[in-house]
Amino acid sequence: MIGRNDPCPCGSGLKYKLCCARKELRDQLAANEQRATGRPDKKEAVRQLTEATQNAALTAVESLEAKYMNKSKVLSLLSTVRVLIEKSQAAEAVAQLQDAAEQRGSEPYYECLAEVTQQLGWQDLALPQFRKALRRLEPKKPLDYEMHRAWLAETGKGEELEQAYQMPASSAFYYLWLGCLLWGLNRSAEAIEMLERAVAVRGDPLDHQWLVSILAESGRRRQAYEHLLAVGQTSMQGCGHNDWASKEWVAETMQKTGLTGYAIVYTVLWTRIGRSVLCVFVSIVILLLVWLFRGS
């Protein structure tokens, strides 16, 4: 396998990343555009797609600039990337991001590369970049971590050590993106695993909604219903960080994610309005039965 810093095999004397690697990126962009439109012979369709992906990439750059406004080196890189994208030089912009990520090797640069390539429609390239950014957030465990954890487990304090080396809440952003990308690539089992990690790390409404939606669409509707039911019950018990998960939110999420039948059952059995309607219905049935028996 040719490294990006190795001499280019074409014999130009340049590094591979400065020569044929960029040509391959341009070819990949053209192939992605043709595959997405399904009409490689229609220049207008390709032009419209190019404009759409360019605008999406520029929006991603704006968002990243706002996020890293206090990091001058990242801002300088993003400024260069913006100019290149505006000039329709997407391949060159991605090459710049790749070089910076390899040289710096830190999470912000991999995030920039992942988000821009994802918005350009290069899902296969974005996926490993999100994984690399995620790995940069992993706490570095000491060499004797396993031995120390086993010793603490005997004293009942093993969980404290594990919590000290848990992934930070910011990693949920990457788990969520990875889940969405993997789902788009029809890798549902991996997508669900990533979204479950996002729920475990952060567990905000968006994480739960995506997980339930993908569970439902992949045919695991019962599991989706049980997950939402557990979230609602945790909220009612006043434990965990799901205090936002009201009964109404659970029922509404079930409807949004296509669990209409489960939503009706949940609304009737768990929400105040549902119980009131159920009580009225039962009362009417009892009155009708009494009236029928008296009439007979």
Side-chain angles (χ1 to χ4, degrees), residues 180-201:
C180 296
L181 282 173
L182 288 165
W183 175 247
L185 295 171
N186 296 319
R187 294 159 66 176
S188 58
E190 295 175 74
I192 290 170
E193 180 186 353
M194 291 295 108
L195 291 168
E196 285 175 342
R197 292 186 184 182
V199 166
V201 170

Side-chain angles (χ1 to χ4, degrees), residues 31-285:
N32 285 343
E33 290 171 350
Q34 292 182 3
R35 184 166 56 251
T37 57
R39 300 163 60 189
D41 56 324
K42 302 295 183 181
K43 293 184 179 180
E44 180 61 21
V46 174
R47 185 190 65 79
Q48 289 177 359
L49 178 66
T50 303
E51 289 181 359
T53 55
Q54 178 177 311
N55 291 335
L58 288 173
T59 301
V61 170
E62 289 179 6
S63 176
L64 290 165
E65 285 175 336
K67 181 176 181 179
Y68 294 112
M69 60 185 302
N70 295 324
K71 294 183 178 292
S72 58
K73 292 182 179 179
V74 178
L75 279 178
S76 176
L77 173 64
L78 289 172
S79 177
T80 303
V81 169
R82 174 194 290 278
V83 172
L84 290 170
I85 293 175
E86 288 174 346
K87 292 180 178 179
S88 299
Q89 298 179 14
E92 182 64 27
V94 171
Q96 293 278 350
L97 288 167
Q98 282 182 322
D99 292 344
E102 289 176 0
Q103 291 170 9
R104 303 289 179 181
S106 59
E107 177 232 341
Y109 293 94
Y110 283 110
E111 180 188 352
C112 293
L113 175 57
E115 285 209 44
V116 171
T117 50
Q118 193 273 333
Q119 295 299 335
L120 287 170
W122 300 0
Q123 315 298 355
D124 293 336
L125 180 58
L127 194 62
Q129 309 312 321
F130 276 118
R131 293 188 188 277
K132 289 177 182 178
L134 191 59
R135 282 199 293 270
R136 267 58 185 183
L137 293 175
E138 290 181 0
K140 294 183 179 179
K141 298 177 181 178
L143 296 176
D144 60 347
Y145 171 80
E146 292 298 333
M147 182 179 66
H148 194 45
R149 185 172 67 86
W151 177 77
L152 286 175
E154 295 178 357
T155 62
K157 297 182 179 180
E159 292 184 2
E160 296 180 8
L161 181 65
E162 290 180 4
Q163 290 176 357
Y165 288 97
Q166 279 184 343
M167 292 291 284
S170 57
S171 64
F173 165 80
Y174 297 110
Y175 285 131
L176 184 61
W177 266 113
L178 282 168
C180 296
L181 282 173
L182 288 165
W183 175 247
L185 295 171
N186 296 319
R187 294 159 66 176
S188 58
E190 295 175 74
I192 290 170
E193 180 186 353
M194 291 295 108
L195 291 168
E196 285 175 342
R197 292 186 184 182
V199 166
V201 170
R202 180 177 59 181
D204 72 2
L206 184 63
D207 302 328
H208 287 285
Q209 287 172 352
W210 268 105
L211 175 58
V212 170
S213 177
I214 290 179
L215 282 171
E217 290 187 28
S218 59
R220 298 158 71 171
R221 300 170 67 83
R222 180 69 183 179
Q223 185 178 345
Y225 169 73
E226 290 175 351
H227 176 81
L228 279 175
L229 198 61
V231 171
Q233 288 175 344
T234 303
S235 177
M236 286 186 286
Q237 293 168 2
C239 56
H241 47 260
N242 297 334
D243 53 346
W244 43 263
S246 64
K247 297 174 185 177
E248 290 73 18
W249 178 88
V250 173
E252 183 182 352
T253 303
M254 287 181 183
Q255 291 179 339
K256 286 181 178 179
T257 53
L259 301 171
T260 308
Y262 289 108
I264 294 171
V265 173
Y266 182 85
T267 301
V268 171
L269 295 179
W270 292 98
T271 65
R272 185 177 301 174
I273 296 175
R275 288 181 179 179
S276 300
V277 172
L278 183 61
C279 288
V280 171
F281 177 76
V282 171
S283 300
I284 292 172
V285 170

